[in-house]
Amino acid sequence: MTGTPERIRVLIADDQPLVRRGLALILAPDPAFEVVAEADNGQRAVDLAHEHRPHVVVMDIRMPVLDGVQATERLSRELPACRVLALSTFDMDEYVVAALRAGASGFLPKDVSPEELSAAVRTVHGGEAVVAPRLLTRLISAYVTSPRLPRPPASVPVPVSGPVELTPREIEVWQLLATGLDNAEIASAMGISVSTVKNHITNVFAKLGVRDRAQAVIAAYESGLVEVRSANPAG
């Protein structure tokens, strides 16, 4: 007798009731998901996450009481097994970078299709990051060095004195990853297999103390490994 696969428990946090309902109506009919709660602000999202222990929180970034960045930071610290998928009305939003730095595992614009939302929740639940690589580098090159960038009080640590613990090959992989290349493109550029790239990336994540690709890219910019102008070419 085979057991039924565990459903992905999802909490939806957005201050707009219609958006919350819309997201719930997209996910609820799929037997892979269970929408366990809805929150209208970041504080409520944190409280309900402690109560319901969702696998994934779909989190609006800009909310009252406690915004999505602060709520993400608290969830990353208090419930590290809970993954956050950040939502924003705008593709280019400085708060997206702050949310990724705080521990969000991905980002989607609010006009995403139902299929893309479902796929993103599955991917985040599986432990991968959900941000298109080139969108991520555009976001970071635009906002990561900005003094206006909001920083949560206990943001994810990043190296500030250089990647001293990484091997030369790991540094090369990290640099290519940070400029927006996917694993296949990194493998082609370095003349190695995709599986070897994956092994290098696993080592890079462990040595940097980051959880996923998004945080590794942010760390590359903040450490000075990648300069803004090198990943944001004209045209």
Side-chain angles (χ1 to χ4, degrees):
M1 180 176 178
T2 59
T4 303
E6 182 182 17
R7 300 173 78 185
I8 300 172
R9 297 164 59 81
V10 182
L11 187 155
I12 296 170
D14 196 292
D15 61 331
Q16 300 180 48
L18 285 177
V19 173
R20 291 198 307 274
R21 280 286 75 207
L23 295 171
L25 287 171
I26 289 171
L27 296 174
D30 190 322
F33 303 117
E34 179 185 2
V35 178
V36 296
E38 298 178 23
D40 60 0
N41 63 66
Q43 182 60 58
R44 184 69 174 147
V46 173
D47 293 342
L48 288 171
H50 277 277
E51 179 181 348
H52 294 280
R53 300 300 172 109
H55 298 114
V56 178
V57 177
V58 179
M59 179 88 73
D60 184 23
I61 291 179
R62 298 172 184 263
M63 288 187 293
V65 185
L66 191 71
D67 68 28
V69 175
Q70 295 169 306
T72 296
E73 188 278 324
R74 284 192 51 189
L75 289 174
S76 296
R77 176 163 40 88
E78 298 169 13
L79 297 172
C82 177
R83 300 283 174 163
V84 174
L85 179 61
L87 293 179
S88 175
T89 304
F90 307 103
D91 283 356
M92 296 299 290
D93 185 343
E94 61 189 313
Y95 282 80
V96 170
V97 176
L100 294 171
R101 180 188 280 117
S105 294
F107 157 72
L108 289 176
K110 284 190 177 181
D111 60 358
V112 69
S113 71
E115 295 77 16
E116 289 170 323
L117 174 65
S118 298
V121 172
R122 285 186 172 90
T123 300
V124 166
H125 176 249
E128 297 294 327
V130 177
V131 187
R134 286 175 177 80
L135 173 58
L136 180 59
T137 54
R138 282 176 56 220
L139 279 164
I140 294 172
S141 65
Y143 296 120
V144 81
T145 58
S146 170
R148 295 181 295 107
L149 183 65
R151 289 176 178 266
S155 59
V156 176
V158 295
V160 294
S161 59
V164 294
E165 297 182 2
L166 301 183
T167 67
R169 293 295 264 180
E170 288 166 353
I171 292 172
E172 186 177 359
V173 168
W174 185 24
Q175 188 168 33
L176 292 171
L177 179 156
T179 57
L181 301 188
D182 62 25
N183 289 357
E185 291 169 330
I186 294 171
S188 177
M190 296 181 65
I192 58 179
S193 69
V194 172
S195 62
T196 299
V197 170
K198 290 179 180 178
N199 290 337
H200 283 315
I201 289 175
T202 298
N203 292 337
V204 168
F205 287 3
K207 290 180 178 181
L208 295 179
V210 300
R211 188 163 69 177
D212 54 38
R213 206 177 193 95
Q215 291 183 352
V217 175
I218 292 173
Y221 278 87
E222 294 189 330
S223 70
L225 178 71
V226 177
E227 296 181 0
V228 169
R229 64 177 179 273
S230 67
N232 192 25

